[in-house]
Structures are given as structure tokens and as C-alpha cells.
Amino acid sequence: MTRRISKYKRFLMMNPIIQFFKFIYLSIKIMIVVAGGHGGTREMN
């Protein structure tokens, strides 16, 4: 059984402007995590 995508969700997925801002938001979020020290590269005393 397939699930139908609502028109609103389809609008969100197909809108390039919204997708661009989502991309920027996620990139900034990843950079904050990596720059803040995510634990993998932290030096132990």
C-alpha cells in the first residue's frame, strides 16, 4: 500500500527557495557542531 503525499508537503519539497534555506540552515548547524568539538577530535589530558 502506498502513501500519498499531501499537496502542502509536495509544495515544500518542490520549492527551490525553501530547499535552499534548508540547505544553508543544516550546513550552519553542522559547522557549529564540528567547530565546537564534537568529541572525536578533542584532546584528552
Side-chain angles (χ1 to χ4, degrees):
M1 191 168 145
T2 59
R3 217 171 175 188
R4 199 172 169 125
I5 299 171
S6 70
K7 287 187 177 184
Y8 180 69
K9 288 208 170 192
R10 183 177 168 84
F11 167 76
L12 290 179
M13 286 193 295
M14 300 297 283
N15 191 334
I17 296 170
I18 293 173
Q19 292 300 315
F20 175 73
F21 284 112
K22 269 174 125 175
F23 172 75
I24 297 295
Y25 171 72
L26 289 175
S27 297
I28 290 172
K29 200 170 171 183
I30 289 170
M31 277 194 269
I32 289 171
V33 168
V34 171
H38 49 87
T41 58
R42 190 172 29 189
E43 291 182 14
M44 300 293 286
N45 290 333

